[in-house]
Amino acid sequence: MHEIPCIIFAGGKSRRMGRDKALLPFGEFDTLTQYQQAKFAPYFRQVYISCKSHSKFDFDANFIEDLTDYEDSAPHVGLISAFEQLQSDAIFVLSVDTPFFKIEHFEKIYAQFQDHDAIIAQSPSGAQPLCAIYSRSVLPHLKNLTETKKYRFAHLFEKINIHTVLFEDESIFTNLNFPEDYEKALI
C-alpha cells in the first residue's frame, strides 16, 4: 500500500456534461466517484474525495472540502485545501472523470517521484495536471497564483520544478466531459 494519499478531484462544475459527472452511474457503482474510490482503495492507505461540499454525496468517504477562504472553484483551490488539511508532504491527484487511468499508470509516475515539485503525466496531446503527484513545496506558489486568480496550470509549471512522464496511449486520459463521452465509456 502506498503511503502517499490518493485524492480524487470531484468538485468540477460539469458545465459541458450538463449534470454533475461525479454523480453519474459507472460500472457497477452508483457514481463515478465511488467507482474511482473503489478502484484505488486497495492500493493506497488513504483515498480522499476533493469537492466543494460533500453534501452532494450520499455515501461514506474521506472528503476534503475546499477551504471557505476561496470563493472560486478551481483545481488550485482543491490542491491548497488538500495540503492545508493533510499532513502529507506529497499527494497524488486524479480527476474523477478519467475512469481509464489505472494503478499501473500511477506506478509509472510514482517510480519517477524524486527531487521534483511535481511529476505530471503527459499524453500525446499534452500535460495532464490532474493525473499527477504534487509536493508540498508547490503550496506557496498555488496560494500566490490563486490570490491573483491565475488558475492555468501553465502559470504554476513556470514557477516549479516539474518532471513529465510520457504515456503513448491517449485513451488512458479520456475525460468524460460531454454526454457522448460518457455514453461511449459505458460501452
Side-chain angles (χ1 to χ4, degrees):
M1 286 205 124
H2 289 285
E3 292 296 325
I4 186 172
C6 173
I7 303 177
I8 299 166
F9 273 54
K13 294 183 178 163
S14 303
R15 283 188 203 114
R16 294 174 287 186
M17 182 63 73
R19 56 188 173 145
D20 193 336
K21 54 187 160 184
L23 300 177
L24 293 172
F26 198 84
E28 15 183 285
F29 293 89
D30 291 340
T31 69
L32 186 55
T33 306
Q34 288 169 290
Y35 171 81
Q36 291 284 61
Q37 177 189 28
K39 181 169 59 173
F40 289 101
Y43 307 104
F44 292 88
R45 194 159 309 285
Q46 292 290 337
V47 176
Y48 296 90
I49 310 301
S50 171
C51 55
K52 197 82 169 150
S53 168
H54 79 275
S55 62
K56 71 180 181 178
F57 299 105
D58 65 355
F59 57 89
D60 288 329
N62 294 315
F63 294 101
I64 298 176
E65 292 185 336
D66 287 352
L67 297 171
T68 56
D69 306 357
Y70 304 95
E71 47 189 69
D72 291 337
S73 180
H76 282 34
V77 174
L79 285 166
I80 292 168
S81 301
F83 280 118
E84 293 285 338
Q85 295 175 57
L86 301 176
Q87 299 304 311
S88 183
D89 289 332
I91 57 175
F92 166 60
V93 300
L94 179 67
S95 178
V96 72
D97 67 346
T98 53
F100 306 116
F101 189 90
K102 297 180 179 160
I103 190 63
E104 56 264 27
H105 306 130
F106 165 78
E107 296 291 356
K108 184 175 177 180
I109 295 170
Y110 188 74
Q112 298 193 37
F113 181 57
Q114 57 190 348
D115 302 327
H116 299 286
D117 296 314
I119 307 294
I120 314 293
Q122 169 119 13
S123 71
S125 67
Q128 304 293 327
L130 289 181
C131 291
I133 298 174
Y134 291 94
S135 295
R136 183 172 288 279
S137 57
V138 303
L139 187 56
H141 301 289
L142 287 165
K143 287 181 175 181
N144 288 337
L145 290 167
T146 301
E147 285 174 16
T148 58
K149 298 188 182 294
K150 292 183 178 177
Y151 296 123
R152 293 181 50 88
F153 275 99
H155 296 301
L156 176 65
F157 295 164
E158 289 171 357
K159 299 181 177 307
I160 65 173
N161 177 11
I162 68 165
H163 178 70
T164 57
V165 178
L166 183 61
F167 291 84
E168 296 295 334
D169 184 359
E170 189 76 48
S171 69
I172 296 167
F173 305 101
T174 299
N175 289 109
L176 308 185
N177 289 323
F178 297 97
E180 54 271 20
D181 300 333
Y182 172 61
E183 296 301 325
K184 190 190 291 185
L186 293 176
I187 298 172

